[in-house]
Amino acid sequence: TPIERIRNFSIIAHIDHGKSTLADRLIQVTGALSAREMTSQVLDSMELEKERGITIKAQTVRLSYTAKDGLTYELNLMDTPGHVDFAYEVSRSLAACEGSLLVVDASQGVEAQTLANVYQAIDANHEIVPILNKIDLPAAEPERVKQQIEDVIGLDTSDAVEISAKTGLNIEGVLEALVTRLPAPKGNANAPLKALLVDSWYDQYLGVVILVRIKDGRLKRGQKIRMMSTGAVHAVEQVGVFTPKMLPMDDLGPGEIGFITAAIKTVADCNVGDTITDDRTPAAEALPGFKPSIPVVWCGLYPIDADDFEKLRDSLAKLRLNDASFHYEPETSAALGFGFRCGFLGLLHLEIIQERLSREFDLDLIATAPSVVYHVFKTNGEMQELHNPVDMPDGSVIDHIEEPWIKATIMVPDDYLGSVLSLCTERRGQQVDLTYVGNRAMVVYRIPLNEIVFDFYDRLKSVSRGYASFDYTLDGYAESDLVRISILVNGDLVDALSFIAHRAAAETRGRQICGRLKDLIPKQLFKIAIQAAIGSRVVARETISALSKDVTAKCYGGDITRKRKLLEKQKEGKKRMRQFGKVEIPQSAFLAALKMD
Ligand code: GTP
């Protein structure tokens, strides 16, 4: 295809506004797949994604469309994930395109993620076409929502396209808008090769597959390519595009998006954002890259059955093959045994990995409370990145501690504004802005990330009856009065239950955990003290009274089989026990104590 007839675009939208439905329609209308091949939603290929209805991995598909001007155009659709945790993946998908379709549900209007995504598209210099979806719904108010888009985002909506992705109404209007309103890519086929490495993943049959966007030059089968960040050289084995099926090609030219394989062993060798060039006639300069994605939330993952440790290690390695933003390292805990400290982009990312481990790899796991990365500045001038509360150095060598903050944007109907504001205040939030979009308030707050990771999202949903939408970006580190709360059972430290909190909340949280443990740890033959301490100062205490009864006494002496059964049951239970000094604590107690409510 000549470059002037290529259009590269992404679809950006708030969750559930119809991005995947529209993508499927576009694929269907352009005839890329037969009706038989259309599964419910083609682009969300992972089973888990389908179930949760969230698009995780950026994917791409090439469509061929003959426009009203009689010419045939090549349309490359880059899918983008919709959730805040994956903002980084959104930015790299956008960098590979010239324009975006901004899909807004005409019965809902602009939401927090609509804004976050559209600002990223504006940053990427995209031409943006507003699309009003779901106009088949009786509650659709396209005029009001257009006004909202103009007021809040400042986009001209006089040419906005009104559609129903569900019924297929006016999909052609979308295709025509792509052709007439988005710019063609620019590039020089005769210049040295410059291709942007947009994404890479591990395929069971092909090995590592790399998604590229060609800027200049051509990328051919058999060509020797060089990764500009590492200097590594590979021979290209396959070149092709997704239609969405993999379709082999001889080469890719400027403006095109496609995939290559080159016998590369792991995705770790393919840095997203890197520039791929020709080994013999390399480009002088690399394309502007991306900032690497860094995990912001960490937690420990431990197998409930210690025999599963190797299986867990293998499973984590497999997940990491396809997800360079997921990190893990071995860790041991007196309470939980051998496990791994794992890093995630956010809470959703954590949940997804945890669910995949249990579902795809059949592992029963305990996760410790999620923790953010603190910066501990020591009196000797060193800075320590703290991923695990257990590693907090002694108070005497700490000068000060900094914690990560976020800037949160929340959109909520006026009726629930009061409760949302008190929730933000309760979480140490600082108000930055409060404006109105129609009868909905848009509040911007700075909040410590630490206050978000536990249950903020659930609480926000419940205080707003599900009407609030939420998005955030990281917003630097700031000093704070943070302390570690240690939990002691009979004087012995239970490492897995240590956590870091703001001093003002430390006592209350310590008391909660002690109270909960009191009910969870079974009585033993002696009195047990459960304490929460900050340094050496005990801030909360509960006591479990002693038990003297013999459990077998219940069995009226006579029935021997029953007695034996009971003893066996006890033995079974022992396997799931952890020893702390003299005290045995059932594993289930940790599980329950770690659960936040
Ligand atoms: P994520 O993948 O979670 O980001 O959501 P999405 O934006 O891709 O939304 P999706 O396409 O999954 O659509 C969400 C819901 O809206 C689904 O139940 C669709 O059937 C429905 N839907 C999408 N488009 C329309 C439309 O034009 N009209 C109506 N009535 N429903 C629609």
Side-chain angles (χ1 to χ4, degrees):
T1 318
I3 194 166
E4 61 277 8
R5 273 192 263 141
I6 298 175
R7 300 290 183 273
N8 297 319
F9 70 104
S10 350
I11 305 178
I12 53 182
H14 186 74
I15 280 183
D16 278 348
H17 282 200
K19 187 181 67 178
S20 308
T21 311
L22 174 60
D24 286 348
R25 280 285 171 208
L26 293 172
I27 293 170
Q28 196 185 29
V29 168
T30 55
L33 284 181
S34 66
R36 191 169 47 83
E37 287 171 319
M38 286 290 293
T39 54
S40 58
Q41 291 198 334
V42 178
L43 280 181
D44 288 356
S45 66
M46 286 164 69
E47 188 195 344
L48 194 65
E49 283 187 47
K50 264 187 208 163
E51 261 173 50
R52 302 181 149 236
I54 298 163
T55 315
I56 302 166
K57 196 124 196 88
Q59 298 203 26
T60 168
V61 49
R62 173 185 290 200
L63 310 169
S64 174
Y65 172 63
T66 306
K68 286 193 178 134
D69 63 9
L71 299 171
T72 301
Y73 290 81
E74 171 187 323
L75 309 178
N76 292 306
L77 160 59
M78 293 276 317
D79 196 17
T80 53
H83 192 276
V84 288
D85 281 5
F86 303 99
Y88 164 77
E89 294 192 6
V90 175
S91 75
R92 72 199 203 198
S93 307
L94 297 182
C97 306
E98 284 75 30
S100 295
L101 300 177
L102 171 66
V103 175
V104 182
D105 182 333
S107 68
Q108 301 283 328
V110 171
E111 294 285 349
Q113 269 153 41
T114 316
L115 289 175
N117 286 331
V118 86
Y119 290 141
Q120 280 193 301
I122 292 169
D123 282 347
N125 281 323
H126 273 198
E127 183 66 36
I128 298 165
V129 179
I131 308 277
L132 295 154
N133 189 32
K134 306 200 189 182
I135 60 160
D136 60 297
L137 291 177
E141 296 180 85
E143 291 313 316
R144 186 182 65 83
V145 173
K146 274 193 224 175
Q147 192 57 49
Q148 218 186 42
I149 294 174
E150 299 221 342
D151 293 346
V152 183
I153 307 170
L155 281 177
D156 176 14
T157 55
S158 51
D159 289 330
V161 187
E162 296 182 19
I163 67 163
S164 166
K166 189 171 172 182
T167 67
L169 179 78
N170 202 18
I171 299 303
E172 184 155 313
V174 177
L175 290 162
E176 284 299 318
L178 285 171
V179 164
T180 56
R181 290 167 59 184
L182 296 197
K186 293 192 183 75
N188 179 355
N190 300 316
L193 174 68
K194 264 190 195 178
L196 181 66
L197 199 163
V198 181
D199 198 3
S200 67
W201 59 92
Y202 187 81
D203 181 285
Q204 208 179 331
Y205 302 106
L206 303 169
V208 174
V209 179
I210 299 177
L211 185 66
V212 289
R213 157 69 201 267
I214 315 292
K215 296 284 181 180
D216 289 322
R218 304 197 77 85
L219 187 47
K220 304 184 191 62
R221 214 175 333 132
Q223 185 175 3
K224 278 239 163 61
I225 51 164
R226 190 195 296 176
M227 307 285 187
M228 290 186 79
S229 70
T230 60
V233 176
H234 302 277
V236 177
E237 287 179 346
Q238 295 185 65
V239 176
V241 296
F242 295 98
T243 67
K245 287 176 295 186
M246 281 178 136
L247 178 71
M249 312 272 289
D250 289 328
D251 65 354
L252 292 169
E256 292 193 297
I257 296 174
F259 70 86
I260 58 170
T261 62
I264 297 169
K265 295 267 166 12
T266 79
V267 289
D269 295 334
C270 306
N271 297 322
V272 166
D274 201 353
T275 303
I276 298 174
T277 191
D278 184 77
D279 185 43
R280 251 163 300 168
T281 47
E285 265 174 41
L287 297 161
F290 304 95
K291 274 189 254 141
S293 59
I294 4 162
V296 292
V297 177
W298 292 76
C299 78
L301 290 180
Y302 292 84
I304 288 190
D305 184 347
D307 295 341
D308 278 343
F309 177 75
E310 285 306 325
K311 189 170 161 197
L312 175 58
R313 181 202 296 280
D314 289 348
S315 311
L316 294 176
K318 284 204 184 103
L319 288 177
R320 162 88 188 157
L321 267 183
N322 247 331
D323 185 349
S325 38
F326 165 62
H327 290 243
Y328 68 97
E329 60 214 31
E331 166 179 279
T332 49
S333 149
L336 304 171
F338 292 99
F340 294 90
R341 193 84 199 155
C342 303
F344 309 90
L345 296 176
L347 278 188
L348 178 77
H349 191 207
L350 183 159
E351 249 178 69
I352 287 171
I353 298 262
Q354 233 176 305
E355 213 164 307
R356 290 188 64 185
L357 287 169
S358 93
R359 207 186 285 203
E360 292 168 36
F361 299 96
D362 197 26
L363 283 161
D364 280 334
L365 301 175
I366 295 184
T368 63
S371 168
V372 302
V373 180
Y374 296 97
H375 289 172
V376 180
F377 292 85
K378 300 193 204 164
T379 44
N380 65 3
E382 268 174 30
M383 192 270 276
Q384 180 190 343
E385 281 194 4
L386 191 67
H387 294 171
N388 186 345
V390 171
D391 301 329
M392 180 133 130
D394 187 68
S396 62
V397 302
I398 299 177
D399 183 65
H400 67 281
I401 304 177
E402 290 185 358
E403 66 179 331
W405 284 65
I406 61 160
K407 200 161 110 188
T409 303
I410 300 166
M411 297 192 67
V412 61
D414 207 15
D415 293 351
Y416 305 104
L417 179 62
S419 353
V420 168
L421 294 182
S422 17
L423 175 65
C424 292
T425 312
E426 186 189 301
R427 300 304 172 96
R428 295 191 278 140
Q430 302 167 349
Q431 198 179 96
V432 179
D433 199 11
L434 172 58
T435 48
Y436 276 86
V437 181
N439 63 346
R440 289 159 58 83
M442 185 173 95
V443 280
V444 180
Y445 260 86
R446 263 173 57 81
I447 309 178
L449 180 61
N450 157 323
E451 300 286 344
I452 300 287
V453 293
F454 294 113
D455 57 351
F456 182 81
Y457 197 55
D458 291 341
R459 293 270 297 134
L460 181 68
K461 287 275 163 206
S462 90
V463 302
S464 70
R465 307 240 169 119
Y467 285 114
S469 65
F470 166 69
D471 200 354
Y472 71 83
T473 50
L474 293 173
D475 197 31
Y477 274 75
E479 184 176 344
S480 184
D481 190 7
L482 298 160
V483 289
R484 181 179 67 192
I485 294 88
S486 312
I487 304 295
L488 305 152
V489 174
N490 236 17
D492 288 302
L493 177 74
V494 183
D495 57 358
L497 297 178
S498 301
F499 62 96
I500 291 174
H502 191 263
R503 193 181 295 275
E507 283 197 35
T508 319
R509 302 249 321 263
R511 223 172 293 131
Q512 275 171 355
I513 294 213
C514 289
R516 206 172 302 172
L517 278 175
K518 184 185 174 194
D519 299 332
L520 292 166
I521 299 177
K523 287 188 177 181
Q524 317 218 353
L525 292 168
F526 42 88
K527 235 177 25 183
I528 304 169
I530 303 170
Q531 296 163 307
I534 300 173
S536 56
R537 192 169 64 87
V538 173
V539 295
R541 183 194 162 104
E542 295 276 354
T543 310
I544 302 176
S545 56
L547 167 100
S548 52
K549 261 186 285 168
D550 176 356
V551 271
T552 56
K554 279 191 201 130
C555 306
Y556 340 103
D559 188 344
I560 189 75
T561 45
R562 200 155 164 205
K563 204 165 183 173
R564 195 173 293 142
K565 246 191 210 155
L566 199 58
L567 286 171
E568 255 160 36
K569 222 174 171 180
Q570 263 189 328
K571 236 199 288 170
E572 188 65 31
K574 282 243 163 69
K575 278 202 280 185
R576 294 276 154 94
M577 295 283 198
R578 293 274 167 189
Q579 191 80 34
F580 284 87
K582 287 199 297 175
V583 182
E584 278 185 334
I585 304 179
Q587 200 125 35
S588 58
F590 293 113
L591 264 176
L594 287 168
K595 270 222 172 76
M596 287 287 155
D597 51 13

Tab-separated table of all heavy atoms in Angstrom, residues 13-22 41 44 52-55 82 133-137 163-167, ligand 1:
chain	number	residue	atom	x	y	z
A	13	ALA	N	-11.235	4.878	25.264
A	13	ALA	CA	-12.571	4.925	25.852
A	13	ALA	C	-12.492	4.592	27.325
A	13	ALA	O	-11.530	3.988	27.780
A	13	ALA	CB	-13.477	3.905	25.173
A	14	HIS	N	-13.513	4.992	28.045
A	14	HIS	CA	-13.673	4.550	29.421
A	14	HIS	C	-14.166	3.097	29.366
A	14	HIS	O	-14.804	2.706	28.394
A	14	HIS	CB	-14.695	5.435	30.129
A	14	HIS	CG	-14.837	5.148	31.596
A	14	HIS	ND1	-13.874	5.532	32.497
A	14	HIS	CD2	-15.799	4.507	32.292
A	14	HIS	CE1	-14.263	5.139	33.700
A	14	HIS	NE2	-15.413	4.515	33.610
A	15	ILE	N	-13.876	2.334	30.437
A	15	ILE	CA	-14.316	0.940	30.474
A	15	ILE	C	-15.824	0.837	30.226
A	15	ILE	O	-16.582	1.654	30.753
A	15	ILE	CB	-13.929	0.315	31.844
A	15	ILE	CG1	-12.454	-0.055	31.788
A	15	ILE	CG2	-14.785	-0.900	32.183
A	15	ILE	CD1	-11.922	-0.736	32.992
A	16	ASP	N	-16.202	-0.109	29.397
A	16	ASP	CA	-17.617	-0.398	29.088
A	16	ASP	C	-18.303	0.586	28.149
A	16	ASP	O	-19.499	0.498	27.941
A	16	ASP	CB	-18.469	-0.504	30.368
A	16	ASP	CG	-18.348	-1.874	30.977
A	16	ASP	OD1	-17.820	-2.772	30.298
A	16	ASP	OD2	-18.775	-2.045	32.126
A	17	HIS	N	-17.555	1.543	27.608
A	17	HIS	CA	-18.196	2.470	26.679
A	17	HIS	C	-18.307	1.897	25.259
A	17	HIS	O	-18.912	2.514	24.408
A	17	HIS	CB	-17.489	3.827	26.688
A	17	HIS	CG	-17.872	4.659	27.876
A	17	HIS	ND1	-17.715	6.022	27.932
A	17	HIS	CD2	-18.432	4.298	29.052
A	17	HIS	CE1	-18.157	6.459	29.112
A	17	HIS	NE2	-18.580	5.429	29.800
A	18	GLY	N	-17.695	0.714	25.051
A	18	GLY	CA	-17.951	0.003	23.788
A	18	GLY	C	-16.767	-0.119	22.854
A	18	GLY	O	-16.931	-0.373	21.669
A	19	LYS	N	-15.556	0.026	23.411
A	19	LYS	CA	-14.362	-0.052	22.572
A	19	LYS	C	-14.241	-1.391	21.845
A	19	LYS	O	-14.047	-1.432	20.621
A	19	LYS	CB	-13.123	0.186	23.439
A	19	LYS	CG	-11.852	0.293	22.646
A	19	LYS	CD	-10.684	0.508	23.566
A	19	LYS	CE	-10.482	-0.733	24.404
A	19	LYS	NZ	-9.344	-0.635	25.298
A	20	SER	N	-14.353	-2.489	22.591
A	20	SER	CA	-14.186	-3.811	21.977
A	20	SER	C	-15.305	-4.101	20.983
A	20	SER	O	-15.080	-4.698	19.942
A	20	SER	CB	-14.178	-4.907	23.038
A	20	SER	OG	-13.241	-4.597	24.023
A	21	THR	N	-16.524	-3.675	21.298
A	21	THR	CA	-17.648	-3.908	20.391
A	21	THR	C	-17.403	-3.179	19.076
A	21	THR	O	-17.617	-3.723	17.996
A	21	THR	CB	-18.964	-3.440	21.047
A	21	THR	OG1	-19.035	-3.981	22.356
A	21	THR	CG2	-20.162	-3.892	20.246
A	22	LEU	N	-16.915	-1.945	19.164
A	22	LEU	CA	-16.629	-1.188	17.941
A	22	LEU	C	-15.500	-1.850	17.141
A	22	LEU	O	-15.604	-2.002	15.920
A	22	LEU	CB	-16.258	0.263	18.274
A	22	LEU	CG	-15.806	1.108	17.077
A	22	LEU	CD1	-16.894	1.194	16.011
A	22	LEU	CD2	-15.401	2.520	17.525
A	41	GLN	N	-15.686	-11.535	21.118
A	41	GLN	CA	-14.864	-10.337	21.023
A	41	GLN	C	-13.448	-10.744	20.640
A	41	GLN	O	-12.718	-11.318	21.422
A	41	GLN	CB	-14.880	-9.542	22.318
A	41	GLN	CG	-16.237	-8.920	22.553
A	41	GLN	CD	-16.191	-7.809	23.562
A	41	GLN	OE1	-15.331	-7.759	24.431
A	41	GLN	NE2	-17.124	-6.884	23.453
A	44	ASP	N	-10.008	-9.084	22.510
A	44	ASP	CA	-9.702	-9.498	23.878
A	44	ASP	C	-9.423	-10.990	23.873
A	44	ASP	O	-10.284	-11.795	24.185
A	44	ASP	CB	-10.909	-9.250	24.795
A	44	ASP	CG	-11.112	-7.775	25.046
A	44	ASP	OD1	-10.284	-6.985	24.581
A	44	ASP	OD2	-12.092	-7.441	25.710
A	52	ARG	N	-13.284	-10.823	32.552
A	52	ARG	CA	-13.322	-9.576	33.296
A	52	ARG	C	-13.721	-8.422	32.410
A	52	ARG	O	-13.950	-7.327	32.871
A	52	ARG	CB	-11.947	-9.261	33.878
A	52	ARG	CG	-11.469	-10.334	34.762
A	52	ARG	CD	-10.119	-9.928	35.302
A	52	ARG	NE	-9.983	-10.488	36.612
A	52	ARG	CZ	-9.726	-9.777	37.682
A	52	ARG	NH1	-9.561	-8.485	37.598
A	52	ARG	NH2	-9.626	-10.341	38.837
A	53	GLY	N	-13.740	-8.669	31.108
A	53	GLY	CA	-14.118	-7.599	30.194
A	53	GLY	C	-13.101	-6.486	30.180
A	53	GLY	O	-13.415	-5.338	29.944
A	54	ILE	N	-11.860	-6.809	30.441
A	54	ILE	CA	-10.837	-5.771	30.433
A	54	ILE	C	-9.774	-6.157	29.415
A	54	ILE	O	-9.363	-7.302	29.359
A	54	ILE	CB	-10.168	-5.646	31.806
A	54	ILE	CG1	-11.197	-5.237	32.835
A	54	ILE	CG2	-9.030	-4.651	31.769
A	54	ILE	CD1	-10.746	-5.475	34.232
A	55	THR	N	-9.354	-5.201	28.625
A	55	THR	CA	-8.350	-5.488	27.629
A	55	THR	C	-6.980	-5.296	28.263
A	55	THR	O	-6.680	-4.232	28.759
A	55	THR	CB	-8.503	-4.521	26.449
A	55	THR	OG1	-9.887	-4.457	26.142
A	55	THR	CG2	-7.725	-4.984	25.262
A	82	GLY	N	-7.657	-0.466	28.825
A	82	GLY	CA	-8.451	0.647	29.342
A	82	GLY	C	-8.169	1.021	30.786
A	82	GLY	O	-8.595	2.052	31.258
A	133	ASN	N	-21.180	6.651	21.065
A	133	ASN	CA	-21.667	5.273	20.922
A	133	ASN	C	-22.967	5.073	21.697
A	133	ASN	O	-23.336	5.906	22.522
A	133	ASN	CB	-20.581	4.309	21.412
A	133	ASN	CG	-20.915	2.860	21.096
A	133	ASN	OD1	-21.566	2.579	20.087
A	133	ASN	ND2	-20.476	1.945	21.955
A	134	LYS	N	-23.610	3.984	21.414
A	134	LYS	CA	-24.836	3.543	22.101
A	134	LYS	C	-26.009	4.492	21.862
A	134	LYS	O	-26.839	4.692	22.757
A	134	LYS	CB	-24.594	3.369	23.615
A	134	LYS	CG	-23.412	2.450	23.941
A	134	LYS	CD	-23.471	1.913	25.346
A	134	LYS	CE	-22.178	1.180	25.696
A	134	LYS	NZ	-22.172	0.592	27.027
A	135	ILE	N	-26.086	5.093	20.667
A	135	ILE	CA	-27.210	6.003	20.448
A	135	ILE	C	-28.521	5.242	20.240
A	135	ILE	O	-29.577	5.843	20.147
A	135	ILE	CB	-26.966	7.001	19.289
A	135	ILE	CG1	-26.731	6.264	17.967
A	135	ILE	CG2	-25.825	7.960	19.587
A	135	ILE	CD1	-26.965	7.176	16.793
A	136	ASP	N	-28.428	3.898	20.182
A	136	ASP	CA	-29.667	3.111	20.136
A	136	ASP	C	-30.395	3.102	21.477
A	136	ASP	O	-31.571	2.792	21.555
A	136	ASP	CB	-29.328	1.666	19.736
A	136	ASP	CG	-28.376	1.012	20.710
A	136	ASP	OD1	-27.214	1.499	20.843
A	136	ASP	OD2	-28.749	0.032	21.354
A	137	LEU	N	-29.678	3.443	22.548
A	137	LEU	CA	-30.306	3.398	23.872
A	137	LEU	C	-31.264	4.582	24.054
A	137	LEU	O	-30.955	5.700	23.662
A	137	LEU	CB	-29.238	3.466	24.988
A	137	LEU	CG	-28.320	2.267	25.147
A	137	LEU	CD1	-27.293	2.546	26.249
A	137	LEU	CD2	-29.123	1.015	25.483
A	163	ILE	N	-22.962	6.661	16.537
A	163	ILE	CA	-23.080	5.256	16.112
A	163	ILE	C	-23.738	4.377	17.168
A	163	ILE	O	-23.918	4.799	18.321
A	163	ILE	CB	-21.684	4.629	15.828
A	163	ILE	CG1	-20.866	4.506	17.126
A	163	ILE	CG2	-20.907	5.441	14.802
A	163	ILE	CD1	-19.697	3.552	17.031
A	164	SER	N	-24.076	3.183	16.771
A	164	SER	CA	-24.343	2.112	17.719
A	164	SER	C	-23.454	0.946	17.317
A	164	SER	O	-23.684	0.307	16.290
A	164	SER	CB	-25.813	1.689	17.697
A	164	SER	OG	-25.931	0.456	18.388
A	165	ALA	N	-22.455	0.709	18.100
A	165	ALA	CA	-21.543	-0.397	17.790
A	165	ALA	C	-22.278	-1.715	17.899
A	165	ALA	O	-21.979	-2.678	17.208
A	165	ALA	CB	-20.348	-0.373	18.739
A	166	LYS	N	-23.277	-1.737	18.771
A	166	LYS	CA	-24.005	-2.983	18.997
A	166	LYS	C	-24.865	-3.349	17.788
A	166	LYS	O	-24.818	-4.487	17.321
A	166	LYS	CB	-24.882	-2.839	20.231
A	166	LYS	CG	-25.498	-4.124	20.681
A	166	LYS	CD	-26.152	-3.921	22.027
A	166	LYS	CE	-26.950	-5.129	22.441
A	166	LYS	NZ	-27.606	-4.869	23.740
A	167	THR	N	-25.647	-2.383	17.265
A	167	THR	CA	-26.517	-2.713	16.132
A	167	THR	C	-25.781	-2.575	14.796
A	167	THR	O	-26.271	-3.018	13.770
A	167	THR	CB	-27.741	-1.787	16.091
A	167	THR	OG1	-27.292	-0.458	15.789
A	167	THR	CG2	-28.487	-1.778	17.407
B	1	GTP	P1	-13.414	-2.840	28.185
B	1	GTP	O1	-12.957	-3.946	27.251
B	1	GTP	O2	-13.770	-3.359	29.547
B	1	GTP	O3	-12.515	-1.650	28.186
B	1	GTP	O4	-14.837	-2.329	27.676
B	1	GTP	P2	-15.162	-1.824	26.250
B	1	GTP	O5	-15.055	-0.358	26.247
B	1	GTP	O6	-14.411	-2.613	25.255
B	1	GTP	O7	-16.712	-2.162	26.164
B	1	GTP	P3	-17.416	-3.331	25.392
B	1	GTP	O8	-17.232	-3.219	23.941
B	1	GTP	O9	-17.070	-4.619	26.044
B	1	GTP	O10	-18.937	-2.955	25.683
B	1	GTP	C1	-19.443	-2.851	27.002
B	1	GTP	C2	-20.920	-3.189	27.014
B	1	GTP	O11	-21.658	-2.221	26.245
B	1	GTP	C3	-21.225	-4.532	26.372
B	1	GTP	O12	-22.233	-5.149	27.136
B	1	GTP	C4	-21.724	-4.167	24.988
B	1	GTP	O13	-22.627	-5.121	24.477
B	1	GTP	C5	-22.424	-2.845	25.231
B	1	GTP	N1	-22.438	-1.998	24.035
B	1	GTP	C6	-21.376	-1.667	23.249
B	1	GTP	N2	-21.782	-0.865	22.243
B	1	GTP	C7	-23.111	-0.677	22.394
B	1	GTP	C8	-24.100	0.065	21.677
B	1	GTP	O14	-23.860	0.710	20.672
B	1	GTP	N3	-25.368	0.023	22.161
B	1	GTP	C9	-25.701	-0.682	23.263
B	1	GTP	N4	-26.964	-0.660	23.662
B	1	GTP	N5	-24.804	-1.382	23.964
B	1	GTP	C10	-23.521	-1.386	23.548
